[in-house]
Amino acid sequence: MSASRDSSIDVLIHPVGELATPYVDSGSAHGKQMGELRRVKDAAVAIRAGAIVAAGPAQSVLAEFRPTDNTVLVDATGKLVTPGLVDPHTHLIFAGNRANEFIMRCQGKKYLEIAAAGGGIVASMKATRSASLPELVRLGKSRLKNMLHTGTTTCEVKTGYGLDLESELRMLEAVVQLSALQPVELVPTFMPAHAVPPECDRATYVDQIITTMLPQVARQYLADSEGRLRDLFNDVFCDQGYFTVDETRRILEAGAKLGLKPKVHADEFANLGATSLAVELKAASADHLLNVSDAEIALLAQSDTVAVLLPGTSFFLNLSEHAPARKLIDSGAAVALGSDFNPGSCHIFSLPLIWGLSCMHLRMTPEEALTALTINAAYAVGRGDRLGQIRPGFQADIVIFAVGQLEEIPYNLGWNPVSMTLKRGEIVAEN
Ligand code: NIG
Ligand code: FE
């Protein structure tokens, strides 16, 4: 019997109240497609060797795949089953905290004012520079455990609190070690261009990134003989008070020549033209987009650059304006959602909470939000070919929600609706 006709399975999820998944043959889900889920009541999902082999109406799955004595049976009676959630934008690794800044903002201070007065990214840089590698790994591991319990199965992680070669490499090394230490799949992003460190002027720092840091990271991480990092992104905070469009272009082009794929923090506080640059450079994603222009929305709609929206950040910063998700989706862009988990502008990691905020503040539908947190987020981190859908051939990353209908996930705002998380077919969290 050939392997493809093998009817043995390692895991069977059955009964399933409802299966809900994006279902797109190739590429990310753009515009209207975002709301078009495959929804199957009384479903089953069959898993072998960490991959999905069948998913759909229970009758048809069970006709082909029967559990044996060795099959793990997962009962999702009355529950909702979706693909594992993908968080395409986090600053997971940092030491210390900035609770003081949160309270200052509650009392009316602005993020950029606090940063200009010595708080912000540089405050976290100081704490992170003085933390050892084992300490960064310990902090990251406990955060990732919490994420697994709220359904995150893949997580992008940026550097950017080191801001010198040695400390940025230590942050990247923490991501590599964490990949081997716990189940959440990590996508590393090198981001020395998160802020200018206080010991440097900006021109010198940009030159240092281009001539020293990027080449060193490429030597150490892209050409690793054990293939430890299969891909590496390069992100720049292109915004008022941070890096200009010209600097961003130079950093991203230098990285691309070495094999690092561009991403851009764009239009969070001001529109400098960062989204146009992201599309021009074929960036995997342009993130934040609170101040994106209509012309740039049209550019995004025609491109493969995913618009990553971060409603937790506008909420946590207590802003009255949010990213124009409706305009983006109605114009045909591919929108993803992320947490932006970080010590300053968004200390929120829960993607079910982000889901709720996306419905409230971005006016997304629950269906669009699921697409944004799965297939489109997977494309934003370059892994859409195997993550973000429940369909044969895809990795068996699955979340079982203790709710009967999709709408209850955003509605349960602030509760954790996750019942169980599976990564590559293994149960990795149960609530
Ligand atoms: O995405 N925008 C840049 N980086 C973070 C803020 C990081 C911080 O304040 O520490 C963000 O909002
Ligand atoms: Fe960010």
Side-chain angles (χ1 to χ4, degrees):
M1 192 184 273
S2 78
S4 63
R5 293 185 160 238
D6 186 353
S7 66
S8 71
I9 48 175
D10 302 327
V11 183
L12 178 69
I13 309 177
H14 174 260
V16 169
E18 185 174 353
L19 169 72
T21 179
Y23 214 74
V24 180
D25 287 333
S26 75
S28 54
H30 280 253
K32 250 177 38 157
Q33 257 185 325
M34 287 186 62
E36 295 162 1
L37 302 179
R38 181 182 192 220
R39 296 179 78 155
V40 182
K41 293 220 193 289
D42 301 319
V45 181
I47 296 167
R48 186 198 304 134
I52 295 159
V53 289
Q59 268 190 340
S60 61
V61 173
L62 294 173
E64 208 184 338
F65 296 96
R66 306 297 306 184
T68 64
D69 290 348
N70 297 325
T71 305
V72 175
L73 298 174
V74 177
D75 184 334
T77 303
K79 294 180 179 162
L80 183 78
V81 170
T82 75
L85 305 181
V86 177
D87 194 338
H89 184 137
T90 83
H91 306 258
L92 177 89
I93 312 254
F94 57 85
N97 75 64
R98 306 207 325 255
N100 59 331
E101 296 186 11
F102 178 79
I103 302 303
M104 286 160 86
R105 275 199 308 281
C106 294
Q107 293 166 356
K109 281 257 187 313
K110 300 269 178 280
Y111 177 86
L112 291 176
E113 281 170 12
I114 295 169
I121 293 167
V122 168
S124 292
M125 176 210 77
K126 288 182 184 146
T128 305
R129 277 186 183 175
S130 50
S132 65
L133 177 59
E135 176 65 359
L136 294 179
V137 169
R138 186 188 68 76
L139 288 165
K141 194 171 167 208
S142 91
R143 291 167 189 151
L144 286 163
K145 186 170 171 207
N146 288 328
M147 287 178 163
L148 263 186
H149 281 270
T150 49
T152 301
T153 49
T154 300
C155 180
E156 187 260 12
V157 183
K158 301 174 197 298
T159 70
Y161 293 117
L163 309 184
D164 63 28
L165 179 62
E166 187 203 323
S167 316
E168 285 290 307
L169 286 175
R170 192 162 66 250
M171 288 192 72
L172 203 49
E173 189 56 30
V175 180
V176 173
Q177 292 195 5
L178 281 164
S179 294
L181 276 176
Q182 55 74 53
V184 180
E185 181 173 334
L186 303 181
V187 181
T189 295
F190 191 54
M191 195 179 182
H194 197 197
V196 178
E199 70 272 12
C200 228
D201 66 77
R202 55 189 305 112
T204 311
Y205 187 55
V206 171
D207 280 346
Q208 231 176 63
I209 291 172
I210 292 171
T211 60
T212 312
M213 295 168 97
L214 288 168
Q216 180 62 32
V217 159
R219 268 196 299 280
Q220 212 165 314
Y221 286 93
L222 291 176
D224 182 37
S225 58
E226 289 158 39
R228 287 197 301 180
L229 291 183
R230 42 164 254 164
D231 46 20
L232 182 57
F233 289 92
N234 184 19
D235 195 348
V236 178
F237 191 4
C238 182
D239 217 309
Q240 182 188 335
Y242 293 86
F243 296 88
T244 66
V245 171
D246 180 56
E247 290 160 347
T248 304
R249 174 191 293 281
R250 286 172 52 216
I251 293 166
L252 293 180
E253 285 181 343
K257 276 198 195 124
L258 296 163
L260 286 85
K261 300 170 197 167
K263 272 182 173 288
V264 189
H265 273 66
D267 308 321
E268 181 176 359
F269 298 109
N271 186 319
L272 308 183
T275 298
S276 304
L277 179 69
V279 173
E280 184 197 324
L281 298 182
K282 300 194 186 323
S285 67
D287 303 39
H288 285 288
L289 306 183
L290 268 75
N291 296 291
V292 68
S293 69
D294 288 354
E296 289 169 309
I297 289 176
L299 287 177
L300 279 170
Q302 296 304 315
S303 78
D304 290 329
T305 299
V306 178
V308 173
L309 306 184
L310 307 161
T313 310
S314 42
F315 172 64
F316 200 81
L317 291 176
N318 216 352
L319 305 179
S320 48
E321 298 293 324
H322 303 280
R326 276 274 46 95
K327 239 186 202 178
L328 282 156
I329 296 171
D330 297 342
S331 306
V335 168
L337 290 164
S339 70
D340 196 18
F341 177 69
N342 75 71
S345 65
C346 186
H347 200 228
I348 295 170
F349 63 83
S350 161
L351 292 179
L353 176 53
I354 297 298
W355 194 326
L357 293 174
S358 77
C359 295
M360 286 177 67
H361 290 161
L362 305 187
R363 314 250 171 238
M364 289 170 68
T365 66
E367 290 84 358
E368 289 168 343
L370 175 61
T371 298
L373 288 163
T374 54
I375 177 175
N376 282 2
Y379 272 98
V381 296
R383 299 189 183 183
D385 56 338
R386 62 183 173 85
L387 301 179
Q389 302 188 60
I390 296 183
R391 66 190 292 166
F394 275 63
Q395 196 163 292
D397 296 0
I398 287 170
V399 182
I400 301 174
F401 288 95
V403 301
Q405 49 178 18
L406 198 65
E407 292 75 13
E408 288 177 57
I409 298 173
Y411 168 70
N412 276 310
L413 198 78
W415 291 69
N416 183 8
V418 171
S419 166
M420 182 185 283
T421 308
L422 291 95
K423 182 69 187 175
R424 295 188 176 94
E426 296 213 4
I427 298 168
V428 287
E430 262 182 284
N431 296 320

